[in-house]
Amino acid sequence: MSFPNLSALAVRERAVTLFLILAVLAAGTFAFIKLGRAEDPRFTVKIMTVTAVWPGATAKEMDENVGDILEKRLQELQYYDRVETTAQPGVLQAKVILKDSTPPAAVPDQFYQVRKKLADEARNLPRGVYGPFFDDEFGDVYFSLYAIQSKGLPNRDLVKQAETLRQQLLQVPGVQKVRILGERPQAIFVEVPQAKLTTLGVNAQDIMAALAGRNDVTPSGSVDTAGPRIQIRLDTGLTSLEDVRNVTLSVRGQLLRIGDFAEVRRGYEDPATYEINHAGQPAVVLGVVMAPRYNGLTLGKALEKEEAAIHAQLPLGLSVTKISDQAKVIHHSVDEFMMKFLVALGVVMLVSLVALGFRVGLVVAAAVPLTLAIVFVIMLLTGRDFDRITLGALIISLGLLVDDAIIAIEMMVVKLEEGYDRVKAATYAWTTTAAPMLSGTLVTILGFIPVGFAQSSAGEYAGNIFWVVGFALITSWVVAVTFTPYLGVVMLPDIKPKPGHHAMYDSKAYTAFRKLVRLTVDHRILTIAITVGLFLLSGAGMIVVKKQFFPNSDRTELTVEVKMPVGSAFEATKAVTARIEADAMKQPEATDVSAYLGQGAPRFFFSLNPELPNPAYAQVVIQTKDVEARAKLKERLRKWVKEGRYPQARVRVTQFVFGPPVPYPVLFRVIGPDEAGIMKVAEKVRSVLAENPNVMDPHLDWGEKTPIMRYVIDDARLAQLNLTRQAVDLQLRGLVSGAPATQMREGTRTVDVVLKTPADERRSPSDLVGMTVTNTLGQAIPLSVVVHQVPDTESQQIKRYDRDLYVSVQGDVREGLQPPDVTAELLPKLEAIKAALPAGYRIETGGSVEESAKANVALVAVVPVMILLTLVVLMIQVRAFSTMWMVFATAPLGLVGAVPAMLLFNQPFGFNAILALVGLSGILMRNTLILVQQISDNKKEGATDYDAVVEATVRRARPVILTAAAAMLAFIPLTHSVFWGSLAFVLIGGVGVGTILTLVFLPALYSFWFNVRKPQSETSHA
């Protein structure tokens, strides 16, 4: 290279080089200690939730009069992807989902824009709509969850204890947020029997007005004196149940206390909307969120210390139990990967020592810790932590980073055998192989560009593979041309010159290998034909390889989803969930059971997508002893579900999956303009899924209509009886569901004061007919006089996907099968349904296939950039179009080894396998590039074209074989990883076959490509 000879500089300034080596090792050790530890990389959840409430509105009214207005405004967002809206009676919930390509840094501003735009739009919503309300922290992942419990202690008192503990936990270094979950809104109920209302001539409006008037906070003025200003305060607030009972109202000239005719009691919102149970008992949960870039293990130790202090001061009977511990998961995950990392490191160093001899091998092996030390420093400076992705990338790098050191030290040994002195031998590699080594390193790194720059959630999750591998390989080149020559000068034994040129390549092993290379070159057409045939056969083999998006997680939790019929009461959901909890706690595999009723579990694992509030939904999280116990319990629970143990609900038993959240592995969206129409089509789709034995529990996610009682008002009778629709509505709602009259302030909480009738007077619609409403004259009018009942049904849920009405047809797959394969079986059978769809209707494929396609499209979008940059590097190095294209043509040949490896070891082809295959292309091109450069160097030394090809292959044999052996052995620990397994097998197969291709196929390809002919007579092989 024309650049200053770094090898010569390192050897000449030995004291400086030694200082740098020691400094690098010290800095690397410091960085290793300081680097954060996490289970998974930081991941931006590009979802925000929006909620609006309109008491009394139907699902259709929420959809048309609220949802439509908000959805239109959301489409103005710069990175808008879609909005998924669910309308229920009185409530609208929307998930605003940004494009996968949204830069993480732009997400907060997009969330702000959602707030701003919808707040502006709120004035256009119908009168009586509350909201919209926003949650832009939907993506927070809880580091730890603590259940606070005490038998018999009310929820409000648990919350008070939680407030104290929250403040303590916030003082722990590394804690960013602490949230209280499971708090039930308190209420003070004023229950008035219908008979007393009728007898006394009291109406609900009067009671509500009296309560509100007694509780107003109004300014009463102040008096200025010669000294301080004296504020005047009127005692108007309600502060206790007795205050509520003592509120008076005038009825027909008489003063009545509310306590004289109503029961005033303390309680909670009725019906309940969200409850949390732990071990079958009610609980309040504290959720701890870790600060960004903090060391999870450090935080775990700090929390354990704080927990000890908390337990020491807990009141008798109160318990605080950790039900989710990310520190434990991180510890297990990092320890497991560190063990695999150390095994891989040991394997690489052992291969070097055994294959090259102790002292030569020691020089090569020393390059590994030096390279890693620098990489750790770079990771610390660039904000990368130890997690599943970076540790996996480091293991991948281990198998590749010794190649440059092997080339450099082998070149030095050869030159020493030729009679060079140590310094000259150590610096010779710079002038001959530094440039091709750098080009080969860059080509290998460029092979991972797609994952580094893929604009997708999967790309964001796995993107550090590119950066860490890139850091490691570039650093390995720097180490190979600086520290390795210095270590060679210092550590290599005395190597005496050997007679003859390149004497080390004339051993029996090299002679036999030279004959094999000559044979492949002499029969180049046959060699190429066999290779092409194997490539085509491997391509065909991809048809039978199982397909996958991301693998199942190795976490030990099981989740049990309880889905009652849409519109079910909270208490019905609670009853079924209680049975499941009780059954789960009896199982020997279960170590902890928590239940979340009315919405999903909080996000304590990044791919857990919490279900939005829904009284017909609950989720039970079961912690098991280990993966084997999880599998046993999952099979048992699924068997119970199949046998109909919980017939009232749709019960789904699942485990976590790596990668972006996917609601159901197999899912089809039926989209159209009419509810009845899409339901009809969806039933046909469901029938197709039901016919496939590989699909479990195919169903529609909504569509059931529930009974309602419609009250038709006689306006003429209303006028005759001095009543209005508004008065009837207010009194009916207040007596049946309860109407908030005012709020009582208790410390930091406000408590609704709610007017309603006793529960035993509103058990069924028939009870309501006997109720009375009071007119403006104070007369009690039977409700049956002004209304008549009409039984009816209506949708309790309406869903839209990017403003289109839709219903999902979804299901799980049988254990051991992959969702893409099952979806591929279904698609041909859906073609007939798709062909017969009316105008405006369509069927879209969702689930794992859709998410996988998004990830793959994002990868493919970057491939042209990868190709262009690769060609640039190749052209700069080889300076010839023909050579450049020949090197590039070897890129896809990794498929020849990858497909047999996947088939042999039953590995699926998913996102990680795609990354391995793309990265493999760079590894193969690197081998080809360095071989081509060696051929060129041989030609410059005077060898014939034929001998140049043969001898270059012979010379590259040991470095290629050693690097391949080191890489394949280094990847073996990853084969036992649930996440990295398929990637490891693809790389092992690809590198193994790639080695054969480099040493057997490439000489034949080069000879064919450049028409190299065997000389008529040969007298020398050297």
Side-chain angles (χ1 to χ4, degrees), residues 457-516:
S457 297
E460 182 184 352
Y461 177 75
N464 273 334
I465 293 176
F466 165 75
W467 295 105
V468 174
V469 169
F471 295 154
L473 295 187
I474 285 291
T475 301
S476 72
W477 179 84
V478 174
V479 168
V481 298
T482 53
F483 295 156
T484 298
Y486 164 78
L487 293 172
V489 170
V490 174
M491 298 175 63
L492 285 184
D494 291 331
I495 299 176
K496 296 182 179 180
K498 293 183 179 180
H501 188 54
H502 302 328
M504 69 177 293
Y505 298 115
D506 287 332
S507 66
K508 290 183 179 180
Y510 275 115
T511 300
F513 177 66
R514 185 178 286 109
K515 291 180 180 179
L516 175 62

Side-chain angles (χ1 to χ4, degrees), residues 335-365:
D335 281 0
E336 181 185 5
F337 267 92
M338 282 297 179
M339 180 58 66
K340 291 175 181 177
F341 176 72
L342 291 174
V343 169
L345 176 61
V347 165
V348 170
M349 298 178 73
L350 184 63
V351 168
S352 301
L353 292 171
V354 171
L356 299 172
F358 180 75
R359 295 178 71 173
V360 176
L362 199 60
V363 174
V364 173

Side-chain angles (χ1 to χ4, degrees), residues 759-797:
D760 59 1
E761 294 187 12
R762 45 188 168 85
R763 289 189 296 252
S764 69
S766 60
D767 292 335
L768 307 184
V769 180
M771 287 187 172
T772 62
V773 291
T774 305
N775 64 10
T776 55
L777 302 177
Q779 299 170 329
I781 310 297
L783 187 62
S784 58
V785 174
V786 293
V787 303
H788 66 275
Q789 296 177 334
V790 179
D792 199 358
T793 60
E794 71 176 21
S795 294
Q796 291 291 300
Q797 198 174 69

Side-chain angles (χ1 to χ4, degrees), residues 884-908:
M884 178 190 73
W885 290 118
M886 190 207 73
V887 174
F888 186 73
T890 62
L893 294 179
L895 198 68
V896 176
V899 172
M902 286 188 286
L903 290 174
L904 184 62
F905 294 98
N906 195 32
Q907 293 296 307

Side-chain angles (χ1 to χ4, degrees), residues 89 139 153 159 311 325 356 497 568 604 608 756 866:
L153 195 66
V159 171
H311 283 107
D325 186 4
L356 299 172
S568 294
F604 59 86
L608 173 63
K756 66 192 309 183
M866 179 195 76

Side-chain angles (χ1 to χ4, degrees), residues 315-343:
L316 187 64
L318 188 71
S319 67
V320 176
T321 308
K322 185 182 287 186
I323 58 177
S324 176
D325 186 4
Q326 194 74 0
K328 182 179 178 182
V329 177
I330 292 172
H331 193 279
H332 173 76
S333 177
V334 171
D335 281 0
E336 181 185 5
F337 267 92
M338 282 297 179
M339 180 58 66
K340 291 175 181 177
F341 176 72
L342 291 174
V343 169

Side-chain angles (χ1 to χ4, degrees), residues 343-662:
V343 169
L345 176 61
V347 165
V348 170
M349 298 178 73
L350 184 63
V351 168
S352 301
L353 292 171
V354 171
L356 299 172
F358 180 75
R359 295 178 71 173
V360 176
L362 199 60
V363 174
V364 173
V368 177
L370 285 170
T371 299
L372 293 177
I374 298 174
V375 171
F376 294 158
V377 173
I378 297 173
M379 287 175 61
L380 183 64
L381 295 176
T382 57
R384 290 169 172 83
D385 304 322
F386 285 132
D387 55 49
R388 191 184 312 278
I389 299 299
T390 54
L391 286 170
L394 285 170
I395 296 176
I396 293 171
S397 303
L398 280 177
L400 306 175
L401 55 80
V402 294
D403 193 18
D404 289 340
I406 290 173
I407 294 172
I409 205 67
E410 184 183 61
M411 184 67 70
M412 182 178 177
V413 171
V414 169
K415 292 306 172 184
L416 287 173
E417 290 180 346
E418 291 180 4
Y420 282 43
D421 63 64
R422 281 178 176 266
V423 173
K424 187 177 180 182
T427 59
Y428 181 80
W430 175 267
T431 59
T432 55
T433 61
M437 282 194 313
L438 178 59
S439 298
T441 297
L442 292 175
V443 167
T444 304
I445 295 170
L446 291 174
F448 291 95
I449 267 190
V451 67
F453 293 91
Q455 298 296 305
S456 68
S457 297
E460 182 184 352
Y461 177 75
N464 273 334
I465 293 176
F466 165 75
W467 295 105
V468 174
V469 169
F471 295 154
L473 295 187
I474 285 291
T475 301
S476 72
W477 179 84
V478 174
V479 168
V481 298
T482 53
F483 295 156
T484 298
Y486 164 78
L487 293 172
V489 170
V490 174
M491 298 175 63
L492 285 184
D494 291 331
I495 299 176
K496 296 182 179 180
K498 293 183 179 180
H501 188 54
H502 302 328
M504 69 177 293
Y505 298 115
D506 287 332
S507 66
K508 290 183 179 180
Y510 275 115
T511 300
F513 177 66
R514 185 178 286 109
K515 291 180 180 179
L516 175 62
V517 175
R518 289 177 178 274
L519 184 65
T520 60
V521 172
D522 293 342
H523 299 86
R524 66 197 73 178
I525 301 298
L526 178 61
T527 303
I528 293 172
I530 292 173
T531 304
V532 172
L534 291 173
F535 177 75
L536 295 176
L537 188 62
S538 298
M542 282 297 296
I543 298 173
V544 296
V545 172
K546 295 189 296 184
K547 308 301 187 298
Q548 186 187 65
F549 181 32
F550 274 102
N552 286 333
S553 169
D554 54 0
R555 290 185 63 119
T556 56
E557 294 94 345
L558 274 180
T559 64
V560 182
E561 293 184 81
V562 181
K563 295 183 178 181
M564 301 289 286
V566 176
S568 294
F570 182 88
E571 289 301 321
T573 306
K574 187 175 180 178
V576 176
T577 307
R579 290 181 54 205
I580 295 173
E581 287 181 84
D583 288 343
M585 287 188 291
K586 296 174 184 175
Q587 305 312 306
E589 297 87 359
T591 59
D592 190 271
V593 179
S594 300
Y596 303 86
L597 299 93
Q599 66 184 66
R603 192 192 300 267
F604 59 86
F605 177 55
F606 85 100
S607 71
L608 173 63
N609 204 13
E611 186 80 10
L612 295 180
N614 179 359
Y617 180 88
Q619 188 171 29
V620 181
V621 179
I622 305 171
Q623 181 65 256
T624 62
K625 298 176 183 177
D626 48 41
V627 174
E628 290 75 19
R630 182 196 65 189
K632 289 180 182 177
L633 184 55
K634 180 171 73 170
E635 183 180 357
R636 188 179 308 132
L637 291 175
R638 284 185 170 179
K639 181 182 178 183
W640 289 349
V641 171
K642 190 174 181 180
E643 291 172 350
R645 189 160 183 154
Y646 315 105
Q648 302 90 341
R650 171 167 281 112
V651 178
R652 181 189 186 206
V653 183
T654 61
Q655 65 189 76
F656 293 131
V657 177
F658 288 122
V662 177

